[in-house]
Amino acid sequence: MAKVIAIVNQKGGVAKSTSCVNLGIGLVKKGYKVLAIDFDPQGSLTESLGYQNPDELEITVATILHCEMNGLELPKGYGILHHEEGMDILPANIELSGGRS
Ligand SMILES: Nc1ncnc2c1ncn2[C@@H]1O[C@H](COP(=O)(O)OP(=O)(O)OP(=O)(O)O)[C@@H](O)[C@H]1O
Ligand SMILES: [Mg+2]
């Protein structure tokens, strides 16, 4: 059964993204399947997993939220990307900070 681990803190720069990457890769090495979901419009988690220009990605967590909220068909593959060390990532970018009509 899937387990959700949220790494959140109101304060900036306290190693949320770093913890997420290291915890995720550690769990992969133990044999777990891991999907990291970036929920920060800065896209730092997305960047640190190798996608260095998050603002150029067309499908992100914002797209998925938009589709879910409006009853639209979800994009094929849900926009999930793969990191070479075995972790999957649903990316985020600046689009998460804005409203969409
Ligand atoms: N254990 C550590 N020792 C030293 N530096 C660390 C450690 N963990 C993280 N850092 C550094 O601290 C800085 C902030 O880390 P990180 O980006 O993970 O924080 P964050 O909470 O995700 O920040 P933000 O609020 O901007 O999203 C980074 O430069 C990171 O490399
Ligand atoms: Mg961060």
Side-chain angles (χ1 to χ4, degrees):
M1 193 169 140
K3 191 169 202 167
V4 177
I5 301 173
I7 300 177
V8 290
N9 195 299
Q10 200 174 5
K11 190 165 168 54
V14 292
K16 298 180 291 292
S17 301
T18 307
S19 301
C20 185
V21 170
N22 287 287
L23 185 62
I25 298 289
L27 288 169
V28 165
K29 286 190 170 160
K30 286 189 122 226
Y32 291 94
K33 281 180 75 178
V34 178
L35 171 66
I37 302 178
D38 194 353
F39 251 110
D40 185 337
Q42 287 184 120
S44 312
L45 182 61
T46 301
E47 263 188 75
S48 58
L49 288 171
Y51 296 89
Q52 297 195 343
N53 298 302
D55 289 345
E56 289 174 10
L57 294 169
E58 277 193 23
I59 303 173
T60 66
V61 69
T63 320
I64 302 301
L65 290 175
H66 174 75
C67 290
E68 282 289 354
M69 287 164 61
N70 293 284
L72 303 173
E73 193 177 335
L74 291 168
K76 198 172 170 221
Y78 310 105
I80 293 172
L81 304 172
H82 192 68
H83 182 262
E84 61 187 23
E85 286 191 64
M87 186 154 81
D88 290 327
I89 167 92
L90 178 55
N93 64 17
I94 192 67
E95 207 182 334
L96 191 59
S97 69
R100 251 172 159 229
S101 53

